[in-house]
Amino acid sequence: RGTALVGVLLTAAAPLVRTACAEILGEMSTENVLHCLLAAAAKEVDRGVREAIGRAVFAAACRRSNDGVAFLDAAPSGVDLTSAADVFARHEIQKLQQSNAEWGDYRKLSRLFGMGRWAEDALAAVVTDREAPEASRCLAAMALGRVSCRSFFVAADGAVSERFKSAMKESTEDLCVALVFALAAHGAVSEPVLIEMARFLKHDCATDVIAFHYPRDPHEANATPFGDIYISYDTARREA
């Protein structure tokens, strides 16, 4: 069935037919289907169909737990999946919202973890989108903690990145907690980052401790509450 659909995708004259084929192929996850989808994306001239193929690529790759990311990261240079990544991420997050998923239930974000190098920009766009529902922004922030995106938080010189600053400025309390969770997951906590968090908390002077309580996994009935406590040794010593 996959081979026949690939043939239609590559040869059908009607864009709607090619789009429909791409959507069906996205439900498959064989290596051959992924290679064919990437090849079709490189040749497709219709923007709408190309984006549909891109979404299908992400859908199929995210079903491959072992090598899906490798397929995406190895996409040919002529295949731009940026727009498709953004649409795919928003669609997946919207589905989670509709299923009433709690943003602390990060295991349900697993399909977003398989987006490879395309994940950072797509998820960051949701986090910083002030028009998006707060729950969507929190889900995207939690997903950032599970993908390779340290540069979202820390610039090359070790300073706080501009994107992280922007996200913090536009944060609600819940979104701040989600961002800090992602930050800690990457081990990216540094003095400049702590200063930025203190600004969000409206601390206008040195503080000896900042604590963040993270959401528990709702699937674990006896889950122990957990969080992060950041201690300023110099301030604590001075005020002791």
Side-chain angles (χ1 to χ4, degrees):
R1 186 176 61 145
T3 303
L5 286 170
V6 167
V8 176
L9 176 64
L10 294 173
T11 61
L16 284 177
V17 174
R18 298 201 301 278
T19 297
C21 287
E23 291 174 350
I24 296 172
L25 287 167
E27 299 300 316
M28 305 177 188
S29 58
T30 66
E31 184 174 337
N32 180 58
V33 163
L34 270 167
H35 281 303
C36 291
L37 283 170
L38 288 172
K43 297 178 180 179
E44 182 59 57
V45 295
D46 184 284
R47 179 178 177 180
V49 177
R50 189 166 59 246
E51 289 187 359
I53 295 173
R55 294 194 301 273
V57 168
F58 283 109
C62 289
R63 285 182 167 80
R64 297 178 67 91
S65 57
N66 296 324
D67 58 1
V69 172
F71 269 100
L72 293 173
D73 287 346
S77 58
V79 179
D80 184 5
L81 298 175
T82 304
S83 177
D86 183 66
V87 174
F88 177 79
R90 289 176 184 270
H91 179 66
E92 289 298 311
I93 290 173
Q94 184 179 34
K95 285 198 302 183
L96 286 170
Q97 278 193 274
Q98 291 173 345
S99 66
N100 296 317
E102 298 181 29
W103 61 268
D105 188 6
Y106 49 84
R107 289 192 299 185
K108 290 187 177 180
L109 299 172
S110 58
R111 278 171 63 82
L112 295 171
F113 305 161
M115 294 177 64
R117 62 189 170 93
W118 309 92
E120 180 176 345
D121 287 341
L123 294 172
V126 179
V127 169
T128 56
D129 183 359
R130 287 182 289 182
E131 300 299 320
E134 182 185 41
S136 292
R137 299 174 72 188
C138 288
L139 284 165
M142 295 293 283
L144 280 172
R146 292 294 187 275
V147 298
S148 179
C149 62
R150 183 184 173 89
S151 61
F152 174 81
F153 303 100
V154 183
D157 60 0
V160 180
S161 73
E162 290 302 317
R163 285 205 289 185
F164 181 72
K165 284 183 180 179
S166 175
M168 290 293 285
K169 287 176 183 176
E170 300 170 357
S171 289
T172 61
E173 184 175 350
D174 280 350
L175 181 55
C176 177
V177 171
L179 284 167
V180 174
F181 182 94
L183 184 81
H186 283 285
V189 178
S190 62
E191 183 177 354
V193 172
L194 288 174
I195 291 172
E196 196 64 32
M197 289 192 293
R199 285 176 179 166
F200 172 83
L201 295 171
K202 296 181 172 59
H203 291 165
D204 56 3
C205 59
T207 183
D208 55 356
V209 61
I210 300 177
F212 290 92
H213 173 224
Y214 300 142
R216 292 182 294 178
D217 189 335
H219 292 293
E220 298 179 13
N222 299 316
T224 302
F226 70 106
D228 274 329
I229 299 176
Y230 301 106
I231 299 173
S232 168
Y233 175 78
D234 290 338
T235 304
R237 182 179 181 182
R238 184 173 61 249
E239 297 183 354

